[in-house]
Amino acid sequence: MGSNIAGNTPTSANISQWSSYPRTASPTRAIENMSAIDENSAEIFRRTGMPASRRLKRSRPEATHRSHFKHQYMVESAWRKGGRMKAKHITPDQGVVTSLHLTKKYIIVALDNAKIHIFDTQGEHLRTLQGHMMGVWAMVPWDDILVSGGCDRDVRVWNMATGTSIHTLHGHTSTVRCLKMANATTAISGSRDTTLRVWDLAAGTCTCQLIGHQASVRCLEIHGDLVVSGSYDTTAKIWSIQTGQCLRTLQGHFSQIYAIAFDGKRIATGSLDTSVRIWNPFDGTCQAILQGHTSLVGQLQMRNNTLVTGGSDGSVRVWSLNTYSPIHRLAAHDNSVTSLQFDDLRVVSGGSDGRVKIWDLTTGTLIRELSQPAEAVWRVAFESERCVVMASRTGRTIMEVWDFTPPAEEEEHLSIKAGATAAGFMPAGYHIAEDQAMPEFDEDRMDGLECKENEEMMEAYDQDDMKENQPAVM
């Protein structure tokens, strides 16, 4: 929040006096409150030693936080029962979506037909990047820069704002299967040729080749100077990006490693042997073996002390990394889990059964199915107010962009009463089942949350490949 301003630190008496003024909760009450403040400006100055205009500045965060809570409430309600969806066919011919990224500026889609499509975040097509000669199997964005690799063995660097190719980087002798960026000018690629390469994107050169795996490098993750790679040779390796040295080899899996997660403190690996292993990156020891999946574990995400895994058995599992025990076991899909992502509130899973499901992270309950079932769901990616689904429907590759942002007019004039139905609340274009009603807008709960937030503000102020091996797994 920043340090206190000398001489202006509120006293407990001042805070008590300040809190006695009406709080803004609606446009009408805001006008009444402004009048009340004007009438008492002299009293404010007498008690606090501050001009009323200085105190008015302190009242603005209150309205801001109330608006924030209303906005978040509406977003969460839309995730549960609403949302505006825009669907479009992105290619006339059938193409398998191999990679999907959603950034603040772009939706980026790579396919096995060698094309990369760039859309804005509303789903409007901007341009197609063409240059790869064969399927694109890996890509990673950084601002306007995109690095991609695929079956033609090249790593390409693009400017997404202009669509131009900046570099074509040669070196790998087989399919580029995974890509990550350490910073704006450094990328690391992993290949079926068993090696990893570190690339200087500014110079367009390979600065280091990481040699040690005995089979295809299937996945990698980066944290700081460390890169962790998972291979079909059943091992994971920890490397120094700066020196190119292999620091540790993690041995224990009995079959190929397909997925990896690394947060700097822990490494998680998912394998064809159906297990997930948790490793200490500092000494290379295995801290836990998480068992429960009955088939390949191809999806992993780690966030704080929670790990979520998805398998070819169709299940999604939520694990505690404090106790290394399962929190939820979700019978999510009838076939392989092809895509998985979670945040602090929800888990979104996509499967080769053509369904996209949203789960409550805390309770493990199914919130809803998003959209109508397709033939297969290739990829799903989401952020707080948007979700992108790539699927195959009627033999064509389709993109669905779901927008959960409340329309401005709804935020300004929202007045949800007890028993209000979804039809009475949601704006045109929102997709809601007829028998579903919006949750009641709890003013008391909102006020409680807002009071707690303002108390915290005051306290802070006071203190100041491979398709041939596993065709269903991308």
Side-chain angles (χ1 to χ4, degrees), residues 112-136:
D112 67 349
N113 62 11
K115 295 179 182 179
I116 302 172
H117 296 286
I118 311 295
F119 302 84
D120 67 18
T121 56
Q122 303 300 316
E124 296 300 322
H125 186 264
L126 298 177
R127 55 192 56 89
T128 299
L129 308 182
Q130 299 190 68
H132 282 289
M133 303 305 295
M134 301 173 70
V136 180

Short mmCIF file of all heavy atoms in Angstrom, two decimals, residues 112-136:
data_model
loop_
_atom_site.label_atom_id
_atom_site.label_comp_id
_atom_site.label_asym_id
_atom_site.label_seq_id
_atom_site.Cartn_x
_atom_site.Cartn_y
_atom_site.Cartn_z
N ASP A 112 -1.61 -29.71 -36.58
CA ASP A 112 -0.72 -30.68 -37.20
C ASP A 112 -0.68 -30.53 -38.73
O ASP A 112 -0.04 -31.33 -39.41
CB ASP A 112 -1.11 -32.11 -36.82
CG ASP A 112 -2.45 -32.54 -37.40
OD1 ASP A 112 -3.19 -31.68 -37.93
OD2 ASP A 112 -2.78 -33.75 -37.32
N ASN A 113 -1.34 -29.50 -39.27
CA ASN A 113 -1.28 -29.24 -40.71
C ASN A 113 -0.27 -28.14 -41.04
O ASN A 113 -0.31 -27.56 -42.12
CB ASN A 113 -2.66 -28.88 -41.27
CG ASN A 113 -3.22 -27.61 -40.65
OD1 ASN A 113 -2.52 -26.87 -39.95
ND2 ASN A 113 -4.49 -27.35 -40.89
N ALA A 114 0.62 -27.84 -40.08
CA ALA A 114 1.74 -26.90 -40.25
C ALA A 114 1.35 -25.44 -40.08
O ALA A 114 2.20 -24.56 -40.19
CB ALA A 114 2.44 -27.10 -41.60
N LYS A 115 0.08 -25.15 -39.77
CA LYS A 115 -0.36 -23.77 -39.65
C LYS A 115 -0.47 -23.34 -38.19
O LYS A 115 -0.73 -24.14 -37.30
CB LYS A 115 -1.72 -23.58 -40.33
CG LYS A 115 -1.70 -23.79 -41.83
CD LYS A 115 -3.08 -23.62 -42.42
CE LYS A 115 -3.08 -23.87 -43.93
NZ LYS A 115 -4.44 -23.73 -44.51
N ILE A 116 -0.25 -22.03 -37.99
CA ILE A 116 -0.46 -21.40 -36.69
C ILE A 116 -1.41 -20.23 -36.90
O ILE A 116 -1.12 -19.33 -37.69
CB ILE A 116 0.86 -20.90 -36.07
CG1 ILE A 116 1.85 -22.05 -35.90
CG2 ILE A 116 0.59 -20.23 -34.72
CD1 ILE A 116 3.24 -21.61 -35.48
N HIS A 117 -2.55 -20.24 -36.22
CA HIS A 117 -3.54 -19.18 -36.38
C HIS A 117 -3.47 -18.24 -35.18
O HIS A 117 -3.43 -18.68 -34.03
CB HIS A 117 -4.95 -19.76 -36.49
CG HIS A 117 -5.16 -20.61 -37.72
ND1 HIS A 117 -5.29 -20.07 -38.97
CD2 HIS A 117 -5.25 -21.96 -37.86
CE1 HIS A 117 -5.46 -21.04 -39.85
NE2 HIS A 117 -5.44 -22.20 -39.20
N ILE A 118 -3.51 -16.94 -35.47
CA ILE A 118 -3.49 -15.91 -34.44
C ILE A 118 -4.83 -15.20 -34.44
O ILE A 118 -5.28 -14.69 -35.48
CB ILE A 118 -2.36 -14.89 -34.66
CG1 ILE A 118 -1.02 -15.60 -34.92
CG2 ILE A 118 -2.26 -13.93 -33.48
CD1 ILE A 118 -0.52 -16.39 -33.75
N PHE A 119 -5.47 -15.13 -33.27
CA PHE A 119 -6.75 -14.43 -33.10
C PHE A 119 -6.59 -13.39 -32.00
O PHE A 119 -5.70 -13.50 -31.14
CB PHE A 119 -7.85 -15.41 -32.68
CG PHE A 119 -8.08 -16.55 -33.64
CD1 PHE A 119 -7.29 -17.70 -33.57
CD2 PHE A 119 -9.08 -16.48 -34.60
CE1 PHE A 119 -7.50 -18.76 -34.45
CE2 PHE A 119 -9.29 -17.54 -35.48
CZ PHE A 119 -8.50 -18.68 -35.40
N ASP A 120 -7.46 -12.39 -32.03
CA ASP A 120 -7.52 -11.52 -30.85
C ASP A 120 -8.30 -12.24 -29.76
O ASP A 120 -8.82 -13.34 -29.97
CB ASP A 120 -8.09 -10.14 -31.19
CG ASP A 120 -9.57 -10.18 -31.59
OD1 ASP A 120 -10.26 -11.18 -31.30
OD2 ASP A 120 -10.05 -9.21 -32.20
N THR A 121 -8.38 -11.64 -28.58
CA THR A 121 -9.00 -12.34 -27.46
C THR A 121 -10.51 -12.47 -27.59
O THR A 121 -11.14 -13.18 -26.79
CB THR A 121 -8.67 -11.63 -26.13
OG1 THR A 121 -9.08 -10.26 -26.21
CG2 THR A 121 -7.17 -11.69 -25.85
N GLN A 122 -11.10 -11.80 -28.58
CA GLN A 122 -12.53 -11.96 -28.84
C GLN A 122 -12.80 -13.07 -29.85
O GLN A 122 -13.95 -13.38 -30.15
CB GLN A 122 -13.12 -10.64 -29.36
CG GLN A 122 -12.92 -9.47 -28.42
CD GLN A 122 -13.56 -9.68 -27.08
OE1 GLN A 122 -14.69 -10.14 -26.99
NE2 GLN A 122 -12.85 -9.35 -26.01
N GLY A 123 -11.73 -13.63 -30.42
CA GLY A 123 -11.88 -14.71 -31.39
C GLY A 123 -11.87 -14.26 -32.84
O GLY A 123 -12.16 -15.06 -33.74
N GLU A 124 -11.52 -12.99 -33.09
CA GLU A 124 -11.44 -12.51 -34.46
C GLU A 124 -10.07 -12.86 -35.04
O GLU A 124 -9.03 -12.58 -34.42
CB GLU A 124 -11.66 -10.99 -34.51
CG GLU A 124 -13.06 -10.57 -34.08
CD GLU A 124 -14.14 -11.19 -34.94
OE1 GLU A 124 -13.93 -11.29 -36.19
OE2 GLU A 124 -15.19 -11.59 -34.40
N HIS A 125 -10.09 -13.43 -36.22
CA HIS A 125 -8.84 -13.89 -36.84
C HIS A 125 -7.97 -12.70 -37.25
O HIS A 125 -8.43 -11.77 -37.92
CB HIS A 125 -9.14 -14.76 -38.06
CG HIS A 125 -7.92 -15.39 -38.66
ND1 HIS A 125 -7.25 -14.85 -39.72
CD2 HIS A 125 -7.25 -16.52 -38.31
CE1 HIS A 125 -6.22 -15.62 -40.02
NE2 HIS A 125 -6.20 -16.64 -39.19
N LEU A 126 -6.72 -12.75 -36.86
CA LEU A 126 -5.78 -11.68 -37.21
C LEU A 126 -4.88 -12.09 -38.37
O LEU A 126 -4.74 -11.36 -39.34
CB LEU A 126 -4.92 -11.31 -35.99
CG LEU A 126 -5.67 -10.76 -34.78
CD1 LEU A 126 -4.70 -10.52 -33.62
CD2 LEU A 126 -6.40 -9.47 -35.14
N ARG A 127 -4.27 -13.27 -38.25
CA ARG A 127 -3.36 -13.71 -39.30
C ARG A 127 -3.02 -15.18 -39.11
O ARG A 127 -3.26 -15.76 -38.04
CB ARG A 127 -2.07 -12.87 -39.30
CG ARG A 127 -1.35 -12.84 -37.96
CD ARG A 127 -0.27 -11.77 -37.93
NE ARG A 127 -0.82 -10.46 -38.24
CZ ARG A 127 -1.32 -9.63 -37.32
NH1 ARG A 127 -1.34 -10.00 -36.05
NH2 ARG A 127 -1.81 -8.47 -37.66
N THR A 128 -2.46 -15.76 -40.15
CA THR A 128 -1.98 -17.14 -40.10
C THR A 128 -0.48 -17.14 -40.35
O THR A 128 0.00 -16.52 -41.32
CB THR A 128 -2.68 -18.01 -41.16
OG1 THR A 128 -4.09 -18.03 -40.90
CG2 THR A 128 -2.15 -19.43 -41.14
N LEU A 129 0.25 -17.82 -39.47
CA LEU A 129 1.70 -17.92 -39.62
C LEU A 129 2.03 -19.20 -40.39
O LEU A 129 1.70 -20.30 -39.95
CB LEU A 129 2.37 -17.95 -38.25
CG LEU A 129 1.99 -16.83 -37.26
CD1 LEU A 129 2.78 -16.98 -35.97
CD2 LEU A 129 2.24 -15.47 -37.90
N GLN A 130 2.64 -19.03 -41.54
CA GLN A 130 2.98 -20.17 -42.38
C GLN A 130 4.47 -20.15 -42.68
O GLN A 130 5.03 -19.12 -43.00
CB GLN A 130 2.17 -20.15 -43.68
CG GLN A 130 0.66 -20.24 -43.44
CD GLN A 130 -0.10 -20.46 -44.72
OE1 GLN A 130 -0.01 -21.51 -45.35
NE2 GLN A 130 -0.89 -19.47 -45.11
N GLY A 131 5.08 -21.31 -42.56
CA GLY A 131 6.52 -21.43 -42.75
C GLY A 131 7.00 -22.83 -42.41
O GLY A 131 7.90 -23.36 -43.06
N HIS A 132 6.37 -23.41 -41.39
CA HIS A 132 6.69 -24.81 -41.08
C HIS A 132 6.24 -25.69 -42.24
O HIS A 132 5.18 -25.46 -42.85
CB HIS A 132 6.00 -25.24 -39.79
CG HIS A 132 6.67 -24.75 -38.54
ND1 HIS A 132 7.88 -25.24 -38.12
CD2 HIS A 132 6.30 -23.80 -37.63
CE1 HIS A 132 8.23 -24.63 -36.99
NE2 HIS A 132 7.28 -23.75 -36.69
N MET A 133 7.01 -26.72 -42.51
CA MET A 133 6.71 -27.61 -43.62
C MET A 133 5.87 -28.81 -43.19
O MET A 133 5.27 -29.47 -44.03
CB MET A 133 8.02 -28.11 -44.25
CG MET A 133 8.93 -26.99 -44.72
SD MET A 133 8.12 -25.83 -45.86
CE MET A 133 7.81 -26.93 -47.25
N MET A 134 5.83 -29.05 -41.90
CA MET A 134 5.06 -30.17 -41.37
C MET A 134 4.37 -29.72 -40.09
O MET A 134 4.44 -28.55 -39.71
CB MET A 134 5.99 -31.38 -41.12
CG MET A 134 6.71 -31.87 -42.37
SD MET A 134 7.94 -33.16 -42.02
CE MET A 134 6.86 -34.53 -41.59
N GLY A 135 3.71 -30.65 -39.41
CA GLY A 135 2.90 -30.30 -38.25
C GLY A 135 3.66 -29.57 -37.15
O GLY A 135 4.83 -29.86 -36.88
N VAL A 136 2.99 -28.61 -36.53
CA VAL A 136 3.55 -27.86 -35.41
C VAL A 136 3.13 -28.56 -34.12
O VAL A 136 1.94 -28.67 -33.84
CB VAL A 136 3.07 -26.39 -35.42
CG1 VAL A 136 3.67 -25.63 -34.24
CG2 VAL A 136 3.42 -25.72 -36.74
#
